[in-house]
Amino acid sequence: MPEATAGAMKNPPHLRALETVLHQPVLVASVYDLERYLNVRSAYGASIGPDGRLAFLLNTTGVGQVWTLDEPGAWPTQRTFYDEPVGFVSYSPTRPELVFGMDEGGDERTQLYRLDDDGTVTDLTAMPDAKHRWGGWGPNGDRFAFASNRRDESVFDVYVQARDDTGTGAERVYEGDGWFTVSGFSPDGRRLAISEAHSSFDQDVYVLDVETGDRTHLTPHDGDVRYSSVEWGPAGEALYLVTDAESDTLDLARVSLSGDLDIVREGGEWNIDGVSIDQDSGRLAYSRNVEGYTELTVGAFDGPTAIEASPTPDLPGGLAGGVSWGADADRFAVSVTGRTVNTNVFLVETETGAAEQWSRASTAGIPRETFVEPEVVRFESFDGREIPALFSLPASADGRGETPVVVDIHGGPESQRRPSFAGLTQYFLSRGYAVLEPNVRGSTGYGKAYTHLDDVEKRMDSVTDLRAGVAWLHDHPAVDPERIVAMGGSYGGFMVLAALTEYPDLWAAGVDVVGIANFVTFLENTGEWRRELREAEYGSLAEDRAFLESISPINRADEITAPLFVLHGANDPRVPVGEAEQIAAEVESHGVPVELLVFDDEGHGLSKRENRIEAYARVVDFLGEHV
């Protein structure tokens, strides 16, 4: 928003309400409105072309679109012009063309498109009722692979398609019976690495012969074992991946084509959460997740399981990912972010670690020094377990116990709140709210055992962790214990609703974004391709229906006394919009203030900037009124 416009709107309703709540005047000269914070740009998802040009996604227009750059800091060229966000971009290894993916209205039925150097766009899949999951280019750039549920909505098959074919030209090279993904072609182009997910914590890896369809199982195992971030090694003699097959955390491992597994690097106390390998040079980069921050190692293979490390890249922010190698792997692109650093693309010199920022996604004129860095804290829960969390205090906080708090709960549950940039979080902090972001039991990032502490019948133990977090806040000298808000999205939305039903006296308000209100109707109506994976985490309709009903917030909605704001997308294929509609109606029927806001052009979350601005302006007004 231009400075003049910001000045003209110096006292919108949501700002006036918050002035009253915080018992202090808001100095407009030193703060920025919500729209400004939600206009902080992000550049991410980079891919280096064969000529050294950089393609990436940039949300300057309000949604991520494809842009390209020829040199660092230059003005980028916009290459796609859609109202819907582009999901990924991948340059051909041999031609100045790229593939990108995009769905419609958040329905997650991604279609693949080829963008030629002259700007021509070709629809490669043209099956809008099916999902298409990118599997990478062949080594010569003449074909690509993907997984799709076009034959049967509930399962994914593997396809190979020539670069110049449309959707009718794809060849089904493997008929799947589960959730399959493609990790990429072998260096000689004859084989594909494919993975099958049985749950978020249990996968299997195979090598598929493209010509014959023969499949070799490399990871037979008992119980739940993760095998992810699968990459072909140099010369295609083995696969490298991360796994917890031999430890509680994820290690970097080598799996031979006969199935022998060797640990290359141990994660130790923390997960090694990803690896990227340039097949021709044998150079690699892998990341270790330490308290949510990225520890990036770059080097080269000096034998099948030996790595000669290069200097550590000098990157800001504390979080980095999405490696794309340049020609000869002498450099790579990576997306960099942090709680006080908005996301941008850097290029790193492989041998020296020297890093240079290429994209210039702006902070919308907000000084970086005003952004707040969180503190890593821990609080003790009911069973003596220490629960990790990120805690941020606004500059206005003091020891008088007047600071309201937003308890922001991540989704998943197989996920982790990490300190990436979040414009809404910084806005709350600028308006005097503290923010607590707990990684309750069931979160990833803290070992296999921790992730299973909320499985099925232990589901509500994670909600009890929220009560412990609020108790920790009550002991903090800056916090007003009467003004604590529960906010979360997806599974985090369920956590909000469950917290409001289980511990109604703890909360001043709740904000549920695309959350689960009823596990039975959620599982009955979620996308066919997701049901089996979700039942592995939550429990099955066939065997656990009574339990699922007992923990569903809709069946205890009469316990909710805190005002509730419910946000959802009409096209959500994961948590159907009926979840929002039923909880809003039920809570309102008991006389509790409720607002329901549904966007017709969104799915599982809010991807369009204008919708985010409208939605969170409404949320801010709501909290100003009730908190």
Side-chain angles (χ1 to χ4, degrees), residues 291-293 319 339 373-379 387-393 406-408 416-420 434-439 446 472-473:
E291 290 280 23
Y293 291 85
L319 288 172
R339 187 52 57 87
E373 187 78 42
E375 176 188 4
V376 177
V377 301
R378 281 175 166 75
F379 53 84
I387 306 300
L390 301 175
F391 184 58
S392 305
L393 276 172
V406 173
V407 179
D408 189 359
Q416 178 187 18
R417 180 55 55 85
R418 303 181 71 172
S420 58
V435 179
L436 179 70
E437 302 164 277
N439 282 306
Y446 307 96
W472 182 86
L473 288 170

Side-chain angles (χ1 to χ4, degrees), residues 46 68 82 106 133 141 234 284 318 399 448 462 492 517 587:
T68 56
Y82 299 103
R133 304 167 68 190
L284 78 160
K448 180 164 47 178
S462 61
V587 173

Side-chain angles (χ1 to χ4, degrees), residues 218 231 295 325 385 411 416 425 435 531 590:
L218 301 185
E231 293 272 305
E295 181 183 275
W325 297 97
R385 188 174 300 276
Q416 178 187 18
T425 299
V435 179
R531 185 172 299 114
H590 296 291

